[in-house]
Amino acid sequence: MDETCETERWYFAYGSNMSAAVFTRRRKIEPLQTEVACITSHTLCFNIMGVPYSDPGMGGLRRIKEGEESVGIGPVFGVAYLLSRENFRRVIASEGGGIAYKTVKLAATFQKDGSAMPVYTLVGRHEVDSSYERLPSARYMALLIRGAREQSLPQPYQERLAAQPTFQAPQSAMYNTGKWTFDALWKRVQWCIERGVRQFKDDEGHVPGWFLIGFDCLLWTMWIHHDYIHSKFWGRGDGR
C-alpha cells in the first residue's frame, strides 16, 4: 500500500509510550487496537542523547549484529498500536517533531499468534556508537518497566528491563550545585527547543531541516560542555 494513502498505521512503541499513563492519559492518543509484539532484527539500546544530570540516555533501537545473541543481546519487545493517521502524526510531534528520532518501517511479530506485520517505529536520527551510549535515568526506566508490566510483555524481557543499570546521582552539595548551574543554562535552551517544535512542526509532525541543523549544533555543544568542561569540576551527569 502507498504510505501516503494509508488511513491507519501500526506504530511500535518500546519506550515510555508503552505506558498507558504516558500514551493514552498524558498524550491523549487512543489506539484502535493494541498488540504485544517483537522486532527480532533489533535490540533496545540507549543511544538517544538526552540531557546530562536529568535524563542522559533515552531509548532507541539498533540492529542486532551477528553473534550478539550468544552473549545475551536479545530482540526488543514492545506494544504495537493501530493508529489513525492523525494520531500517528501526534505521536511524531510528541516525540520532538523528528529532532531526535526518525521514522522507519520494520517487520514485527505479534505474540498472540506469531503473525508478521509491518510497523512504523522510531529510531535515532543519528548513528551513535554503542561506546558513546549514556545511562538512562531511574525515572525513565520506571516508565518502561511499568509499561512492560501493564502490557504483559514476556517475563524474561521485563526482568531484562529491571536489570538495566540507571544513572544514579551522587548525593553531595557540590554535585547538586553543579547540576543546578548546568540546568540554569541548558534547561532554558531545552524549553526554547520544545517551544520551537510546537511552532514550526508541519502537518506530519516534523520540523524543517534548518531547525534540525540548529538542534544538532545545540545538542553537541551541550554534551561537549558537559564532557570536557562542566564534569571536570562538578562530576559527571551521565553515569559513565
Side-chain angles (χ1 to χ4, degrees):
M1 180 185 295
D2 186 344
E3 294 178 12
T4 61
C5 297
E6 291 176 339
T7 58
E8 297 174 355
R9 292 183 175 185
W10 283 102
Y11 160 65
F12 179 82
Y14 55 86
S16 60
N17 278 340
M18 292 191 296
S19 170
V22 173
F23 198 66
T24 60
R25 292 197 285 275
R26 184 193 305 171
R27 295 182 173 172
K28 309 297 183 184
I29 298 174
E30 291 293 338
L32 304 172
Q33 191 175 336
T34 301
E35 299 286 350
V36 174
C38 174
I39 296 179
T40 59
S41 60
H42 287 66
T43 190
L44 175 68
C45 60
F46 298 93
N47 63 352
I48 308 300
M49 309 300 289
V51 179
Y53 303 101
S54 300
D55 280 298
M58 311 296 286
L61 296 182
R62 67 170 179 84
R63 188 171 291 278
I64 298 175
K65 300 175 183 177
E66 185 177 355
E68 283 191 322
E69 291 187 345
S70 64
V71 294
I73 304 297
V76 61
F77 284 82
V79 185
Y81 297 109
L82 184 61
L83 302 178
S84 66
R85 191 171 179 85
E86 177 57 33
N87 274 336
F88 184 80
R89 292 191 188 107
R90 291 176 63 191
V91 169
I92 301 302
S94 70
E95 292 290 349
I99 59 175
Y101 295 93
K102 63 182 178 181
T103 306
V104 297
K105 196 173 185 179
L106 299 173
T109 302
F110 286 179
Q111 296 302 288
K112 69 173 183 178
D113 58 9
S115 61
M117 182 67 66
V119 297
Y120 293 90
T121 192
L122 301 176
V123 301
R125 192 163 59 83
H126 297 295
E127 292 289 338
V128 176
D129 188 81
S130 58
S131 64
Y132 205 69
E133 290 182 21
R134 312 302 169 111
L135 288 180
S137 68
R139 178 204 68 82
Y140 180 75
M141 282 308 303
L143 290 174
L144 270 64
I145 293 168
R146 182 171 65 187
R149 183 175 62 249
E150 289 175 357
Q151 304 290 352
S152 299
L153 267 57
Q155 190 60 35
Y157 191 76
Q158 292 190 45
E159 293 170 0
R160 173 181 160 192
L161 293 180
Q164 167 63 42
T166 58
F167 167 62
Q168 302 293 327
Q171 298 301 310
S172 70
M174 183 174 182
Y175 186 89
N176 289 335
T177 301
K179 180 183 184 308
W180 182 86
T181 57
F182 191 90
D183 287 349
L185 169 61
W186 291 109
K187 286 291 187 180
R188 287 184 172 87
V189 173
Q190 182 183 16
W191 180 84
C192 291
I193 291 171
E194 292 172 352
R195 184 176 180 182
V197 169
R198 292 193 296 270
Q199 180 176 352
F200 295 111
K201 69 178 185 294
D202 61 21
D203 291 341
E204 295 296 318
H206 294 91
V207 295
W210 62 263
F211 193 99
L212 297 177
I213 294 172
F215 170 79
D216 287 347
C217 291
L218 288 171
L219 177 70
W220 288 108
T221 299
M222 177 183 68
W223 276 101
I224 290 170
H225 174 212
H226 167 267
D227 287 352
Y228 298 105
I229 301 174
H230 200 86
S231 64
K232 303 298 184 183
F233 295 96
W234 306 103
R236 298 194 67 89
D238 60 355
R240 298 185 72 183

